[in-house]
Amino acid sequence: MLIFLFCVALLVTGYFIYGSIAERIFGIKPERATPAHAQADGVDYVPMSKVKIWLIQLLNIAGTGPIFGPILGALYGPVAMLWIVLGCIFAGAVHDYYCGMISVRNGGASIPHMAGRYIGLPVKHLINVIALILLVLVGVVFVVSPAGLLTQLTEQILGRSGELVQKGNSAHDYLVTTWVCIIFAYYIIATLLPIDKIIGRVYPLFGALLMFMTAGMLFGLLFEGIPLFQTVGLDEGMGIGDFFKNFYPAENMPIFPLIFVTITCGAISGFHATQTPMMARCMQNEREGRFIFYGAMITEGVIALIWCMVGLSFYDDVQMLNEAIKSGTPSKVVYEAAISMLGTFGGMLAVLGVVVLPITSGDTAFRAARLQIAEFFHIEQGSVKNRLMLTLPLFAIGIALTQIDFSVLWRYFGWANQTTATIMLWTAAAYLYRHGKCHWICTVPAIWMTAVCGTYLAFAKIGFGLNWTVSLIFGVIATIAVTAAFLIVLKPKHVLNSDD
């Protein structure tokens, strides 16, 4: 447990020290009017308190990624915790902070607009396509995963009331379909209405469930007598060699680049770049940026660490963890661990806390997709008719994609997610570069993520399917080429002022 507490301490320290460095490099202007005031429209540009915005930001960005990803990452052993901590402090939180603050300086603009302005028009079109694909995939993944958990809860409740639940697969499938329809109905309402009418009002309740889930699972790990790290056959007295055990848990599962695509939202996630501008449109002062953007990511890192520890400790060995994942996706691990550690009632509340994460990310995913399309085609969004015109086709596509196998969706989601994060990091680096500031705070993680995404694209079955060595060479060459292009082609001829 000391290792876990040490990791949490590093995250908190990172917020105060590295977060301050990121803020100082950006150069905040507390006296500058934010888009929430300068462009207030009562729909998307609505001033809100920083605590409420922080909570909404956390619920927006923390889907199933900081839960499912760390559970899957636990297959690689305790080294997964190292990526969560380092990735969160030096990549993920930096990514979120600069995305939010650059959006503030650009009137609440979305990532395609920012990429187009600071890198170039071709990148704007590329990120428009990738980000839209990502948002729809997120919406679908974050319908399927909570629907599965709610189905298990429903079956548990009906079973305890003496009713017959298991009437073959048809009964189970009917429950899943019912919950999918209910979640989609909520998404449609939340996407269409002004942000302070549903999202701003129900999120405090969702936040309470989230806090209960986080505290409850931590309590279970501390006091339920579960041997820590037993899944990978280690104990608290492990050495450095043991900590890095299990780099290759199964055939065709090398730690690089797979763990860096598997554990996304808990370390770094491009999905955050699609959500953060929505809160940039509600922030009232630039000095609130570090608390809202950097702070929400650090909090998500703590959630990811807790679920990584569950994956490392709840089952007797890594084979049992792998079988649980294969038989019911990571949602089965969530359900079994919560019920076992907190009892039926407490476990159900904890599972509900997990459920609200994807739901509160899914609704804003479709909302962000609507805003991105509206921004690209210059479609005014004050009219309900205009919002409906963009929303319904998105939901039609999402409903169709729910028929695809979850594991396949997750692989495409993982690559699109990290590729979007990489482009956002390069965009932030270009912003700093063009303003004559220390761009390396974004350039270094951008270089790393370029190598990850390039290698993954070459290696994975959804990509080129090459062998690992060739894929690594491909990733390194691609990274060198992109970095050289950034430093040479984007070299600023003049330094922009801080308001550009």
Side-chain angles (χ1 to χ4, degrees):
M1 185 52 65
L2 289 178
I3 292 176
F4 169 78
L5 296 177
F6 178 67
C7 288
V8 172
L10 286 177
L11 288 176
V12 175
T13 303
Y15 169 77
F16 287 104
I17 297 179
Y18 206 68
S20 295
I21 293 173
E23 182 180 64
R24 189 159 55 249
I25 290 173
F26 178 80
I28 62 172
K29 290 188 172 183
E31 72 281 0
R32 179 187 170 101
T34 61
H37 295 291
Q39 299 165 233
D41 64 359
V43 179
D44 297 307
Y45 292 82
V46 180
M48 290 191 286
S49 70
K50 72 173 185 178
V51 174
K52 179 177 283 189
I53 297 175
W54 172 84
L55 178 60
I56 296 175
Q57 171 74 1
L58 175 61
L59 289 168
N60 284 355
I61 66 176
T64 48
I67 298 173
F68 283 18
I71 288 173
L72 290 166
L75 293 170
Y76 291 95
V79 70
M81 299 170 67
L82 184 63
W83 167 233
I84 291 171
V85 172
L86 296 181
C88 189
I89 295 172
F90 298 107
V94 168
H95 167 282
D96 289 12
Y97 177 76
Y98 282 102
C99 178
M101 297 308 295
I102 295 171
S103 179
V104 168
R105 290 286 173 88
N106 283 269
S110 63
I111 178 175
H113 176 90
M114 293 185 283
R117 181 175 187 187
Y118 297 108
I119 299 182
L121 195 59
V123 179
K124 177 180 180 179
H125 295 320
L126 173 64
I127 194 61
N128 251 318
V129 174
I130 294 177
L132 274 177
I133 292 173
L134 172 62
L135 285 168
V136 174
L137 284 174
V138 166
V140 175
V141 168
F142 292 172
V143 166
V144 175
S145 53
L149 284 168
L150 287 168
T151 296
Q152 293 183 69
L153 281 180
T154 304
E155 291 176 340
Q156 175 77 9
I157 293 170
L158 293 177
R160 292 187 69 83
S161 66
E163 299 180 26
L164 292 176
V165 177
Q166 298 297 338
K167 297 179 180 178
N169 290 331
S170 59
H172 177 83
D173 293 342
Y174 174 78
L175 280 174
V176 172
T177 302
T178 300
W179 278 115
V180 166
C181 292
I182 292 173
I183 293 170
F184 264 121
Y186 164 75
Y187 282 0
I188 292 173
I189 296 171
T191 302
L192 289 175
L193 291 181
I195 195 167
D196 61 336
K197 299 303 180 185
I198 286 190
I199 292 177
R201 293 184 179 180
V202 304
Y203 272 33
L205 174 61
F206 288 166
L209 282 171
L210 169 63
M211 293 300 108
F212 176 85
M213 177 274 291
T214 304
M217 297 308 295
L218 180 59
F219 176 87
L221 286 170
L222 289 172
F223 300 108
E224 286 299 310
I226 297 174
L228 300 181
F229 302 108
Q230 69 172 349
T231 296
V232 287
L234 306 176
D235 57 33
E236 288 281 20
M238 60 187 176
I240 294 296
D242 292 328
F243 190 83
F244 291 100
K245 185 179 179 181
N246 220 33
F247 269 15
Y248 216 101
E251 185 180 358
N252 243 16
M253 286 182 63
I255 193 168
F256 185 88
L258 296 188
I259 195 173
F260 305 103
V261 176
T262 300
I263 300 179
T264 55
C265 296
I268 179 172
S269 169
F271 172 63
H272 298 187
T274 68
Q275 302 299 290
T276 299
M278 286 192 292
M279 293 301 97
R281 295 164 182 155
C282 300
M283 191 173 75
Q284 298 194 61
N285 193 289
E286 287 191 3
R287 67 164 62 92
E288 300 172 354
R290 179 159 65 99
F291 174 77
I292 293 169
F293 303 125
Y294 203 100
M297 183 62 213
I298 292 295
T299 306
E300 187 179 88
V302 175
I303 295 172
L305 280 175
I306 290 173
W307 284 101
C308 186
M309 285 294 295
V310 170
L312 290 168
S313 307
F314 182 70
Y315 295 95
D316 291 338
D317 53 53
V318 71
Q319 288 75 25
M320 290 183 65
L321 171 62
N322 197 29
E323 286 303 315
I325 293 172
K326 285 183 177 180
S327 64
T329 77
S331 64
K332 182 175 182 179
V333 178
V334 170
Y335 184 82
E336 290 182 346
I339 296 296
S340 174
M341 294 165 63
L342 302 178
T344 301
F345 180 73
M348 286 183 175
L349 287 179
V351 170
L352 286 175
V354 174
V355 165
V356 303
L357 290 177
I359 289 179
T360 52
S361 295
D363 60 4
T364 50
F366 283 112
R367 188 183 192 92
R370 169 178 66 79
L371 291 170
Q372 185 173 311
I373 296 173
E375 183 181 85
F376 184 81
F377 291 105
H378 305 289
I379 301 174
E380 184 269 332
Q381 291 296 283
S383 164
V384 174
K385 179 182 177 181
N386 287 350
R387 299 202 295 271
L388 196 61
M389 178 181 69
L390 298 181
T391 299
L392 291 182
L394 288 171
F395 280 106
I397 296 171
I399 291 170
L401 290 175
T402 59
Q403 305 306 307
I404 298 176
D405 180 75
F406 179 84
S407 61
V408 175
L409 285 173
W410 189 267
R411 286 196 293 270
Y412 280 103
F413 159 71
W415 179 80
N417 195 30
Q418 299 304 67
T419 300
T420 302
T422 303
I423 295 175
M424 183 61 236
L425 281 170
W426 282 118
T427 299
Y431 172 88
L432 295 174
Y433 195 24
R434 291 181 182 278
H435 286 81
K437 299 180 179 181
C438 181
H439 64 87
W440 293 105
I441 193 171
C442 294
T443 301
V444 171
I447 291 172
W448 172 257
M449 292 307 299
T450 302
V452 167
C453 293
T455 305
Y456 183 82
L457 178 64
F459 177 76
K461 291 181 180 179
I462 65 171
F464 303 141
L466 305 175
N467 70 59
W468 186 82
T469 302
V470 174
S471 299
L472 182 61
I473 294 172
F474 175 88
V476 171
I477 292 175
T479 302
I480 292 173
V482 170
T483 305
F486 171 80
L487 294 174
I488 297 172
V489 177
L490 293 181
K491 186 175 182 179
K493 296 179 181 178
H494 65 280
V495 176
L496 300 174
N497 67 58
S498 59
D499 292 331
D500 289 336

